[in-house]
Amino acid sequence: MHYNIKNILVNHGFGCKDSYKNIYINLYDALKKAILNRTFNSGVKLPPSRVLAKDLAISRSTVLKAYDLLVLEKYVNSITGSGYFINSTKDKKFHTKLNTSIELGSYPKISKKGISFKKNVHIVSNANSKGIAFRPGLPPLDIFPVQLWKNLSNDYWKNVKSSELSYSNTIGLESLRNNISNYLKIYRNIQCDAEQIVVTTGSLHSLSIIGEALIDRKDEVLIENPTYPYAYSLFKSLKADICTTSIDDEGIVIENLKCRKPKLIYTTPSNQYPTGIKMGLKRRLELLKFAASKNTFIVEDDYDHEFSNWETPVSSIFSLDKQDRTIYLGTFNKLLHPAIRLGYMIVPYYLLDTIKALNRQSSRFVSPVTQSILSDFIEKDYLNKHLRHVIEASIERKRVFLKSFSDNFNEEILVDSRNTGLHIIANINNNISDVSLASYFSKKNVIVHPYSSYFINNNKQNGIVMGYSSVNTKVIKETLIRMKKEYDSFTGK
């Protein structure tokens, strides 16, 4: 440990010259207090004597005397060739009153916005688990080209200029925005200027920026029902008036909407989240017409367009929009892996200056290092190759998942296999709580989401949402066998 612990020692009495004749006694006592007060945890290595002597501007022999006293009293253990380590102090008691205030005063009130976010966090709360099968929304994590990414990272650090380590453009590196623009032209037939692209950490980050830019208290926001819980939680926490619309076989239902004048419409047209319904071309045009009549923005969350538009592509709402009122959201978190934390949005020029100002004064930017590596990953055609591998793996894993699920559960739980994204929905008996079942599975390290949690009103449906692509086929089969056993245990069979 080469930390500078001078601050800790001063706070525990080091430097009180009037109270100590010998500096090493002063140092010993300060270290002892810090140890007994658990400022240093058991097993922590103290700084080497030369380092501590230099930090405190005292002689090394003084530090060694203090260390030796601590070793003698068994507060510290000396290991030859390794250094000095803190011993456990569970059996030692130390009564002292440091010269610090222990009475807490009053605090300023938390903002209404802060209270609102705290109040609504339960909407998105999920049980923590280290497992990934069958967490919805995860791509085939095991086939991500880690070594290739590592090589690109090494290349970056070999060639980086010192000037590139400074602050960069808050809306993203120009090279990455250009490459994303070219990527979208090919895969989504989207024509946009790179200047309109804002790099974010993902769809929720994009939505948060949009919400800050557009939503005031009591503004109407129109969202699908069921919907992405994080989006609902965000708009609700911003104190928007939430209007909902149901989903039919063509997507968002526009007729008989009760919204007077929505500020924005949030939709997931390529693969409605979570139902998996793809909005038809006619309905997309109708939605654009409705938005124009209400002078509202459309937020098109195309979160997994690579999967949902691979075989039967439909034009994005953004590309159909002739009035520049669609904000397009995309992400690489569901294509590469969530740990990359990198997404983007295409912003209409009307909003661009506002979005730029928000970024400059709040979130700043995604790591330029990650942006630069991803830019190379796209430019050198690695993304195209990886995408094909991901699609092939996902198709195969879905096939195996559906077959194995049917073999284990027979008709006891029926799966809706229409979803073209990375998850599927299974309907369960109404006398079984999907929330309780999901919680039980989580404790057994099997991750599913309760379908009812995606609905806003009381007219909820009962089921479980499962991702199928994050693990290989062998793990899929083994986990489903275990999942059936746990299900039987839960239902008392």
Side-chain angles (χ1 to χ4, degrees), residues 161-184:
K161 300 176 183 177
S162 57
S163 59
E164 294 173 341
L165 301 179
S166 182
Y167 293 102
S168 63
N169 195 328
T170 56
I171 65 171
L173 296 183
E174 183 178 2
S175 61
L176 177 59
R177 289 185 286 115
N178 281 325
N179 281 322
I180 291 175
S181 177
N182 293 331
Y183 171 76
L184 290 173

Side-chain angles (χ1 to χ4, degrees), residues 375-432:
S375 183
D376 285 346
F377 193 74
I378 298 172
E379 192 168 319
K380 294 179 179 180
D381 204 40
Y382 297 139
L383 180 62
N384 287 326
K385 294 176 182 177
H386 179 62
L387 176 55
R388 291 185 179 276
H389 293 157
V390 167
I391 295 294
E392 291 172 2
S394 297
I395 291 173
E396 173 62 12
R397 291 176 186 190
K398 183 177 183 179
R399 184 192 66 78
V400 172
F401 184 96
L402 292 173
K403 174 68 166 57
S404 184
F405 193 93
S406 177
D407 290 343
N408 282 280
F409 287 90
N410 296 313
E411 295 186 357
E412 195 167 357
I413 299 180
L414 297 178
V415 170
D416 184 349
S417 60
R418 294 176 297 172
N419 198 307
T420 56
L422 295 173
H423 68 267
I424 55 178
I425 299 171
N427 299 308
I428 60 175
N429 197 308
N430 285 331
N431 61 11
I432 299 174

Side-chain angles (χ1 to χ4, degrees), residues 459-474:
N459 188 23
K460 300 180 178 181
Q461 295 185 32
N462 205 37
I464 51 177
V465 182
M466 300 170 288
Y468 56 80
S469 65
S470 61
V471 292
N472 62 41
T473 55
K474 180 176 181 292

Side-chain angles (χ1 to χ4, degrees), residues 3 9 16 25 37 52 83 86 117 128 141 154 183 260 267 332 367 374 399 420 454 458 465 473:
Y3 299 138
L9 296 176
C16 299
I25 294 294
N37 283 319
L52 186 57
I86 305 296
F117 273 89
N128 293 323
L141 300 177
N154 291 338
Y183 171 76
R260 294 181 296 103
T267 181
F332 292 101
S367 167
L374 179 59
R399 184 192 66 78
T420 56
Y454 296 82
N458 293 325
V465 182
T473 55

Side-chain angles (χ1 to χ4, degrees), residues 297-360:
F297 278 106
I298 297 173
V299 178
E300 179 182 13
D301 190 348
D302 221 13
Y303 64 96
D304 71 347
H305 70 82
E306 290 90 352
F307 301 94
S308 53
N309 285 288
W310 187 258
E311 293 183 351
T312 55
V314 178
S315 297
S316 66
I317 294 175
F318 182 92
S319 64
L320 296 170
D321 184 6
K322 305 303 180 184
Q323 294 195 352
D324 200 28
R325 62 174 68 255
T326 302
I327 308 167
Y328 182 91
L329 311 188
T331 179
F332 292 101
N333 298 331
K334 295 188 185 303
L335 176 58
L336 302 178
H337 57 81
I340 195 173
R341 303 317 311 153
L342 208 152
Y344 55 91
M345 57 178 167
I346 309 175
V347 182
Y349 278 104
Y350 172 80
L351 275 178
L352 195 54
D353 286 343
T354 302
I355 298 296
K356 286 181 178 179
L358 277 167
N359 263 21
R360 288 190 66 180

Side-chain angles (χ1 to χ4, degrees), residues 5 8-9 12 14 20 23-37 40 44-49 52 56 58 61-79 83-89 92 94:
I5 63 172
I8 292 175
L9 296 176
H12 286 83
F14 180 73
Y20 296 89
I23 297 178
Y24 79 93
I25 294 294
N26 185 191
L27 176 59
Y28 153 80
D29 201 39
L31 284 166
K32 179 179 175 181
K33 289 177 181 178
I35 293 169
L36 289 171
N37 283 319
F40 295 122
V44 166
K45 183 180 179 181
L46 288 171
S49 57
L52 186 57
L56 300 179
I58 60 179
S61 61
T62 299
V63 175
L64 288 172
K65 285 182 181 180
Y67 279 5
D68 288 343
L69 280 176
L70 292 169
V71 170
L72 185 64
E73 295 190 9
K74 297 184 179 180
Y75 290 104
V76 169
N77 183 28
S78 176
I79 301 177
Y84 296 86
F85 297 84
I86 305 296
N87 279 329
S88 173
T89 56
K92 294 181 171 63
F94 182 57

Side-chain angles (χ1 to χ4, degrees), residues 111-146:
S111 70
K112 291 180 180 179
K113 182 182 289 187
I115 293 171
S116 182
F117 273 89
K118 182 179 178 181
K119 178 182 177 182
N120 294 311
V121 71
H122 71 279
I123 296 173
V124 296
S125 294
N126 293 316
N128 293 323
S129 175
K130 295 181 180 179
I132 59 175
F134 299 108
R135 188 187 298 271
L138 291 178
L141 300 177
D142 54 318
I143 68 172
F144 178 75
V146 175

